[in-house]
Amino acid sequence: MQIKAKWQGGRAFTAVGPTGYPMTMDATANYGGEGKSATPTEMLLASLAGCIGIDVTMILKPHLDDIENIEITVDGERREELPTAFTAATLTFVVDGNITPKKVWRAIHLGEEKYCAVSASLKAEITYKLILNGEEVPAEQV
């Protein structure tokens, strides 16, 4: 896969990959940018959520009619010193619908262990939480 990023002036770049969709990035004001687009680190966490989300919905395909909502929140922790790399990330899945916690946790674990290229590419420690129909369900309980 190849991505090409073209400088747009200041600290802004527009990247395009094989799909042809443009992705704009900019730095925040503290790094000389104008903050007119997502930062690369925001896009990295968004990519993590999107990648595992796609995997989970593919695994849960037979049950998607029973699911009303899936939201994934990623909380990333970064080093203080440069480079301020992510050291940890917690992904919280909020799922609403008529599905068992066992099925959702199975999909999360398969996504994590077998399918998600983004999580497999990160050095950060990644943990997962599940809130199903408003109740937190630890993986140990299923």
Side-chain angles (χ1 to χ4, degrees):
M1 176 185 298
Q2 182 180 70
I3 302 287
K4 290 186 179 183
K6 183 168 176 50
W7 180 50
Q8 302 298 313
R11 302 292 182 267
F13 283 82
T14 298
V16 178
T19 61
Y21 292 104
M23 300 169 278
T24 58
M25 297 169 277
D26 196 3
T28 60
N30 356 338
Y31 293 102
E34 297 180 28
K36 291 185 176 180
S37 299
T39 66
T41 50
E42 286 176 317
M43 292 182 81
L44 180 65
L45 293 184
S47 295
L48 177 59
C51 185
I52 192 117
I54 289 168
D55 294 334
V56 165
T57 57
M58 287 175 64
I59 295 162
L60 292 176
K61 184 179 178 186
H63 310 287
L64 290 181
D65 287 344
D66 298 324
I67 297 174
E68 300 162 15
N69 180 54
I70 299 173
E71 293 180 20
I72 304 166
T73 302
V74 182
D75 292 300
E77 295 178 29
R78 297 171 72 177
R79 294 169 20 125
E80 294 278 330
E81 60 278 347
L82 294 173
T84 56
F86 287 103
T87 57
T90 301
L91 282 79
T92 303
F93 285 77
V94 176
V95 179
D96 296 304
N98 186 23
I99 189 165
T100 65
K102 184 174 182 175
K103 287 178 183 172
V104 180
W105 269 118
R106 178 183 171 277
I108 292 169
H109 289 308
L110 277 172
E112 168 194 18
E113 296 164 6
K114 189 171 182 180
Y115 297 112
C116 184
V118 175
S119 65
S121 299
L122 296 176
K123 294 179 184 177
E125 179 184 333
I126 301 173
T127 56
Y128 300 87
K129 292 182 180 179
L130 171 61
I131 299 173
L132 181 59
N133 298 316
E135 300 284 327
E136 185 168 353
V137 182
E140 306 83 49
Q141 285 188 2
V142 293

